[in-house]
């Protein structure tokens, strides 16, 4: 029985054909007009959006609201459930740093965090930054945090009030709580203090939203007087700036998706020219951390596909002086590393599961921190101090709420600091979490993490939300998620497909899901659906697929490739107009994306490959399942016109009767709503769509 029984007439987008010829191939785009010619300015001031575009987006929102009107009570129930699982006045365990300990807290009913500090060993808590107060009167507000100076007297804090990810930085006196006159606009959102607390370094974004410059700001000076420390002129590279725990160096990290370059600025001479460590070499990645008289370098140099750790003298950090400390071990991927006065620590993944390794810097002795569950997640947060034996890490699984531990690296003593509270109650014994493996088309096996209630009948009748991402080497952890319990408690199987394009099975898993092997990502996801159907965890008609951003591309691709295997699809801020976007080097972040997808401007082969899978370009006359696309008007990563064009074309071409819905958040960007409860409302909406499609209302 159709889930959507009576619907108003859907908006019909006007066709205004635009032709584009590349490599002797001509394509016609009927909906290119959705891209506002003044999009760069519009991101900063959404009110100037062209009226014709605004009218269409509002009509789409009205149609979407009508289609989902009968879920309003369900949405409210879902929201109440998800909110009931959150400890509203929750507080982090403060992190010790010098005479203070720093943390974040929420108040009951509050949307934004409060940043606080207290004396190191406990005492009166002082609010340094109240996010709810700063957000008053704003439809969108996102904090980037607050970074305190070495002497703890002053802090840099940043905010974005458009959703466009252009952050404004301000400087706050931490003793009085008053902001100084320093106000820096169009920044990346954070800064790094010089040791004397009289100046800091920050990234500036260019008109294409690329962090391309590092500036040095002297307190009290106007932004236009800030000294340019480094400018990256290659449009394919990003910049970031960081500082060492021992305040001896400022790190300038220059990178794209496959190549790294570091430049170092000694804090002994802030006016010096940054020193190049190892020049960029396509495919060579490295990252650095402090080690006193040495730097520790995590790198894939010398064919170390799954990475190794090397060291080099601080006085001569060049590539010729790098020597192995932790050798490469094929199949064991080192994810990140940290160093402290007496220990080297890293997080690695072996056979699909994470573990933390601690190495005594003097003796070389190593030991591991690991857990016994079939699938779980570890997070390594380390410490804010260099001269310490105590680090912090987190642990959770799909059934186990997050636990936070302090760990003494010398004594190996583990101290449980906090277990995530679920105020409405949670019994892990009511649920089952499993890691299964779906056979792929080429003999590989795709890990799939499952969560379901013990009393669910695994006879093919259960609905399933199947989530996937599969890009940039990002691994989706098997961590505790209170939100998805609202689906699982309604009889859903919640599944995460760990498809190629992530690093779930090592670096090769990423390599085999990018560039000319991108279609493996889509085939893996379909293979996961096939397996879940075959093994009767669910059935094709009961699967609702979900993915966002690059995972939204995945949703668009599987909609074209196998629409009959999905009852519904949720595509959040979906990167679906792949070919047009990668052909336009004036768009935000396009050149830095070429190492991930390929450059169709220079290469006819990549042009033809993208043309073969780009979701927008491959919409055809076929019966598509119900589709919900979600978009943000000021999104600089996946511009609003991508899902808008895609939905218009889908609705034009589909031969089926299921609705194609578009929800555009007119006051937010890539991350959706900014408040913690506003975000829950969005998730409740998406889940209501899944429940409606599955016929479980």
């Amino acid at each position: 029985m159709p889930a959507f029984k009576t619907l108003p007439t859907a908006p019909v987008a006007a066709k205004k054909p635009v032709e584009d010829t590349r490599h002797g191939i001509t394509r016609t785009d009927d909906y290119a007009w959705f891209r506002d010619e003044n999009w760069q300015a519009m991101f900063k001031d959404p009110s100037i959006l062209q009226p014709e575009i605004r009218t269409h987006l509002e009509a789409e929102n009205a149609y979407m609201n009508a289609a989902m009107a009968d879920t309003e009570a369900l949405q409210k129930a879902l929201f109440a459930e998800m909110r009931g699982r959150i400890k509203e006045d929750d507080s982090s365990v403060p992190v010790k740093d010098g005479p203070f300990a720093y943390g974040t807290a929420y108040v009951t009913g509050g949307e934004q965090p409060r940043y606080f500090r207290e004396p190191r060993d406990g005492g009166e808590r002082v609010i340094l930054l109240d996010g709810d107060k700063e957000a008053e009167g704003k439809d969108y507000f996102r904090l980037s945090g607050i970074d305190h100076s070495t002497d703890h007297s002053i802090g840099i804090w940043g905010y974005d009030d458009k959703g466009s990810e252009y952050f404004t930085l301000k400087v706050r006196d931490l003793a009085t709580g008053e902001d100084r006159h320093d106000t820096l606009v169009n920044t990346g959102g954070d800064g790094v203090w010089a040791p004397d607390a009289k100046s800091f370094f920050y990234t500036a974004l260019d008109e294409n939203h690329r962090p391309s410059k590092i500036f040095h700001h002297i307190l009290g000076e106007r932004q236009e007087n800030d000294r340019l420390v480094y400018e990256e002129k290659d449009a394919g590279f990003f910049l970031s700036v960081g500082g060492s725990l021992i305040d001896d160096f400022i790190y300038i990290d220059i990178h794209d998706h496959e190549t790294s370059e570091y430049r170092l600025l000694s804090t002994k001479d802030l006016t010096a020219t940054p020193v190049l460590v190892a020049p960029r070499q396509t495919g060579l990645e490295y990252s650095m951390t402090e080690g006193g008289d040495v730097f520790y370098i995590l790198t894939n140099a010398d064919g170390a596909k799954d990475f190794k750790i090397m060291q080099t003298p601080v006085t001569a950090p060049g590539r010729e002086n790098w020597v192995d400390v932790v050798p490469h071990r094929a199949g064991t991927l080192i994810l990140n590393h940290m160093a402290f006065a007496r220990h080297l620590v890293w997080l690695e993944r072996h056979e699909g599961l994470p573990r933390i390794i601690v190495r005594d810097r003097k003796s070389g002795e190593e030991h591991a921190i690991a857990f016994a569950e079939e699938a779980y997640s570890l997070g390594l947060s380390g410490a804010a101090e260099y001269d310490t034996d105590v680090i912090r890490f987190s642990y959770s699984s799909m059934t186990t709420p997050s636990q936070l531990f302090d760990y003494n690296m010398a004594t190996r003593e583990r101290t449980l600091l906090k277990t995530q509270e679920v105020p409405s109650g949670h019994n892990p014994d009511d649920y089952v979490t499993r890691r299964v493996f779906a056979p792929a088309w080429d003999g590989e096996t795709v890990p799939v993490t499952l969560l379901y209630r013990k009393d669910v009948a695994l006879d093919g009748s259960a609905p399933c939300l199947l989530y996937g991402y599969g890009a940039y080497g990002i691994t989706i952890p098997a961590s505790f998620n209170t939100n998805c319990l609202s689906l699982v408690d309604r009889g859903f199987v919640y599944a995460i497909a760990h498809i190629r394009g992530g690093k779930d099975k090592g670096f090769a898993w990423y390599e085999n899901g990018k560039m000319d092997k991108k279609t493996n990502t889509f085939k893996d996801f379909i293979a996961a659906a096939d397996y879940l159907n075959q093994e009767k965890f669910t059935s094709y008609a009961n699967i609702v697929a979900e993915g966002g951003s690059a995972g939204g591309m995945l949703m668009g691709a599987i909609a074209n490739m196998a629409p009959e295997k999905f009852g519904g699809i949720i595509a959040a801020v979906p990167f679906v107009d792949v070919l047009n976007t990668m052909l336009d080097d004036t768009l935000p972040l396009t050149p830095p994306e070429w190492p991930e997808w390929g450059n169709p401007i220079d290469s006819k082969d990549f042009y033809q490959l993208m043309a073969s899978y780009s979701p927008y370009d491959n919409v055809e006359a076929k019966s598509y399942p119900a589709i919900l696309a979600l978009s943000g008007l000021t999104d600089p990563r996946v511009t609003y016109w991508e899902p808008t064009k895609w939905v218009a074309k889908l609705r034009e071409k589909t031969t089926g009767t299921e609705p194609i819905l578009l929800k555009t958040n007119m006051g937010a960007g890539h991350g959706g709503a900014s408040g913690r409860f506003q975000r829950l409302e969005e998730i409740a909406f998406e889940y209501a769509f899944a429940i409606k499609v599955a016929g479980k209302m």
Side-chain angles (χ1 to χ4, degrees), residues 306-320:
D306 287 317
F307 288 77
K308 61 181 178 177
I309 299 176
M310 307 181 78
Q311 71 178 36
T312 191
V314 163
T315 54
R319 175 77 179 84
E320 65 278 5

Side-chain angles (χ1 to χ4, degrees), residues 169-469:
L169 291 181
K170 291 193 171 185
V171 176
R172 176 160 296 190
D173 186 309
L174 299 185
T176 66
E178 298 295 321
D179 286 332
R180 299 195 178 187
H181 293 299
D182 305 73
T183 301
L184 312 180
V185 298
N186 298 336
T187 80
D190 54 8
V192 178
W193 284 104
D196 62 5
K198 295 179 180 178
S199 65
F200 61 85
F201 298 82
Y202 66 95
T203 57
L205 307 185
D206 63 21
E207 64 178 8
N208 283 334
H209 208 272
R210 181 175 67 95
S212 60
K213 296 178 180 178
I214 304 292
F215 283 99
H216 184 203
H217 177 73
I218 308 296
L219 294 186
E221 292 285 340
R222 296 174 63 86
Q223 184 175 9
E224 53 264 35
N225 296 331
D226 290 350
R227 180 175 70 88
L228 177 63
V229 177
Y230 182 79
E231 178 179 7
E232 177 51 51
K233 296 185 177 180
D234 187 329
F237 281 77
F238 301 88
L239 287 178
S240 64
V241 64
S244 65
L245 286 179
I246 48 181
D247 287 329
D248 54 350
F249 284 95
I250 303 294
Y251 301 125
I252 298 175
D253 175 7
I254 309 155
H255 61 275
D256 64 9
H257 293 302
E258 64 176 4
T259 302
S260 309
E261 181 177 278
Y262 267 70
R263 293 172 186 262
L264 303 174
L265 180 63
S266 170
T267 55
K268 294 177 181 177
D269 183 3
L270 299 178
T271 64
T273 300
V275 174
L276 175 65
V277 176
R280 68 192 69 174
Q281 175 185 331
T282 300
L284 174 65
E285 297 183 64
Y286 67 97
S287 60
M288 307 180 69
T289 194
E290 59 281 309
D293 57 347
V294 300
F295 290 115
Y296 288 105
I297 300 172
L298 177 62
T299 180
N300 64 349
D302 311 314
K305 183 173 290 189
D306 287 317
F307 288 77
K308 61 181 178 177
I309 299 176
M310 307 181 78
Q311 71 178 36
T312 191
V314 163
T315 54
R319 175 77 179 84
E320 65 278 5
N321 297 319
W322 297 6
V323 296
D324 285 6
V325 176
V326 179
H328 176 246
R329 292 163 293 165
T332 299
L333 176 65
I334 303 179
L335 299 166
N336 60 38
H337 73 313
M338 301 174 179
F340 303 95
R342 291 166 291 280
H343 299 90
L344 176 64
V345 188
W346 64 92
L347 178 66
E348 65 182 30
R349 183 175 294 109
H350 178 70
E351 295 182 348
L353 291 176
R355 60 190 182 192
I356 295 168
I357 308 296
V358 177
R359 178 188 179 109
D360 185 295
R361 288 178 58 179
K362 185 175 181 180
S363 69
E365 183 181 0
E366 296 178 5
H367 67 274
I369 306 171
F371 291 82
E373 285 195 77
E374 190 172 332
Y376 62 84
S377 173
L378 280 182
L380 174 61
S381 51
E385 298 173 320
Y386 180 73
D387 188 7
T388 184
D389 289 328
V390 179
I391 58 170
R392 188 164 290 179
F393 72 88
S394 60
Y395 166 81
S396 75
S397 75
M398 298 288 282
T399 58
T400 307
S402 179
Q403 297 176 320
L404 188 68
F405 294 88
D406 266 353
Y407 183 78
N408 189 304
M409 297 179 286
T411 66
R412 306 188 185 185
E413 181 182 3
R414 189 182 296 184
T415 303
L416 177 62
L417 301 174
K418 179 181 180 181
T419 298
Q420 179 182 353
E421 292 184 46
V422 183
S424 59
H426 174 69
N427 182 3
D429 293 336
D430 291 341
Y431 304 91
V432 175
T433 185
R434 291 188 59 190
R435 175 68 62 89
V436 297
F437 294 87
W441 67 278
D442 59 353
E444 281 284 4
T445 56
V446 181
V448 184
T449 300
L450 303 176
L451 175 69
Y452 52 88
R453 288 188 65 93
K454 281 184 175 178
D455 55 5
V456 165
L458 299 180
D459 57 3
S461 63
C464 172
L465 190 135
L466 177 59
Y467 179 85
Y469 187 73

